[in-house]
Amino acid sequence: MQLKIAYSPCPNDTFVFDAWAHGRVPGAPRLDVTFADIDVTNGWAESGTDSHDVLKVSYAVLPWILDQYALLPCGGALGRGCGPLVLTREPGLDLRGRTVAVPSERSTAYLLFRLWAAETVPGGVGEVVVMPFHEIMPAVRDGKVDAGLVIHEARFTYKAYGLHCLADMGEHWESTTGLPIPLGAIVARRSLGAETLRLLADSARRSVRMAWDDPAVSRPYVMEHAQEMDPKVADQHIGLYVNEFTADLGEAGYAAVRGLLTRAAAEGLVPPLGPDALSFP
C-alpha cells in the first residue's frame, strides 16, 4: 500500500515523519510525500477534491472537513508555551484599525488571534493580509504591514528583525482556559476505512518514537527542508512542538481541541462540531 501525504517542511513535521517517510517503520504503508505550506494543505482539505490521503492541517479547519477526514490522535502539534505571537516594530502599538499579516485565515493561529482581539482590541483591527509565514517578519520590519501574526521558529528569531512581541496568543489561551494550545493536526480520509486509519495512527506514533530514540538519524532530512534554518533553531523548534501530545493527544489534548472549536463556534468563527466529530475508529 502506498498513500499520498502532505505536510510542511518545518522541522517538527520532518522530524515526526522521517522514519515513516524513509521506510523504517515496520508494517507502515509507503508514503508519497508532498511538501506544502499549511495554508495550502488547509485549502486542499477544505476543497474536498484533493487526492492526498493524509494531510497536516490547522485544527481551526476541522469543522469544515471532518465529514471527509478523520482526526488522527497523534502526529500533530499541540502543547504549552508554543503559541503564535503578534509582532510589531514599536512596543505597545495600538492595533485598532491597523493592518495585520497572518499566515492563513483558516489557521489555528488566526483563530486564537481573533479570540484574543475580540477581548483586547476595542473596535477591532483593520485590514488582515494573508501571506506565507516566512514573509511576515520582513513585511513588519519593512513597514509593509503594521503587525504580524507569526508561528513556528519565529518565536526564536523575531528579535533579529528588530521586532517586539506585542502579545502571545498561547499565553492568553492558556491563562484563560488552562488548556494546552492546539496548532496542527494530522487528518486522513475516512474512506480509507477504520482498519487503515488505525494503522496510520500506529505508524505515526512509531515514527515519532523512533525519532526520539535516535534524533541524529532524522537530522539530514530535517535540515534538508529547514529553509536554511540554524541547526540550533531547528532543535528548539522540534523541542517545542514535538512532545507527549504528538505521540498521543490523550484526554487533555482532546479537551483542548474541543475547547478551542467550541469557543470559536460560540463567537461565530467556525461551524459547531457534532457530538462525535472528533471520534476515532
Side-chain angles (χ1 to χ4, degrees):
M1 182 191 302
Q2 177 170 287
L3 299 177
K4 294 188 67 176
I5 187 171
Y7 49 81
S8 83
C10 293
N12 61 307
D13 285 348
T14 49
F15 180 82
V16 166
F17 288 103
D18 171 63
W20 190 359
H22 291 95
R24 299 197 305 273
V25 179
R30 289 181 296 117
L31 294 180
D32 177 3
V33 178
T34 299
F35 290 101
D37 186 80
I38 200 160
D39 189 40
V40 174
T41 58
N42 284 346
W44 285 344
E46 195 173 352
S47 72
T49 58
D50 182 63
S51 60
H52 288 89
D53 303 293
V54 186
L55 291 163
K56 170 74 174 290
V57 298
S58 299
Y59 275 107
V61 83
L62 292 188
W64 285 275
I65 69 170
L66 286 175
D67 56 335
Q68 294 192 51
Y69 292 88
L71 170 65
L72 267 61
C74 52
L78 187 150
R80 296 187 182 276
C82 60
L85 307 179
V86 177
L87 303 180
T88 58
R89 282 172 297 162
E90 305 168 14
L93 182 69
D94 186 344
L95 285 190
R96 284 180 292 183
R98 301 283 188 170
T99 300
V100 181
V102 304
S104 169
E105 291 189 40
R106 283 283 196 258
S107 67
T108 310
Y110 183 61
L111 203 58
L112 291 167
F113 172 74
R114 287 283 301 271
L115 293 172
W116 170 80
E119 296 182 18
T120 61
V121 185
V125 302
E127 183 183 5
V128 170
V129 180
V130 177
M131 61 177 62
F133 78 88
H134 63 274
E135 296 180 8
I136 291 178
M137 287 192 292
V140 179
R141 178 197 61 198
D142 298 340
K144 296 178 180 178
V145 293
D146 298 308
L149 180 68
V150 299
I151 55 178
H152 298 328
E153 66 275 1
R155 293 185 66 88
F156 313 116
T157 61
Y158 71 86
K159 292 180 181 178
Y161 290 80
L163 303 179
H164 299 272
C165 178
L166 182 69
D168 185 325
M169 304 295 94
E171 185 177 281
H172 177 261
W173 169 257
E174 290 185 71
S175 67
T176 55
T177 68
L179 296 168
I181 309 153
L183 296 169
I186 305 299
V187 297
R189 288 190 178 277
R190 293 186 183 276
S191 59
L192 293 171
E195 183 177 351
T196 297
L197 290 173
R198 288 192 291 270
L199 175 61
L200 295 179
D202 180 64
S203 300
R205 286 194 188 96
R206 292 162 71 185
S207 187
V208 69
R209 286 172 177 151
M210 291 174 71
W212 278 332
D213 287 344
D214 194 351
V217 175
S218 67
R219 176 53 64 93
Y221 190 53
V222 169
M223 296 313 303
E224 177 187 355
H225 299 286
Q227 300 176 345
E228 300 181 1
M229 189 184 301
D230 185 292
K232 291 182 180 178
V233 174
D235 288 341
Q236 288 176 301
H237 183 117
I238 292 166
L240 190 60
Y241 295 106
V242 185
N243 51 48
E244 69 272 18
F245 295 110
T246 311
D248 193 342
L249 280 175
E251 291 184 12
Y254 276 108
V257 177
R258 291 190 191 94
L260 174 68
L261 298 179
T262 299
R263 194 168 178 179
E267 294 288 337
L269 302 177
V270 303
L273 286 179
D276 299 319
L278 299 179
S279 62
F280 185 75

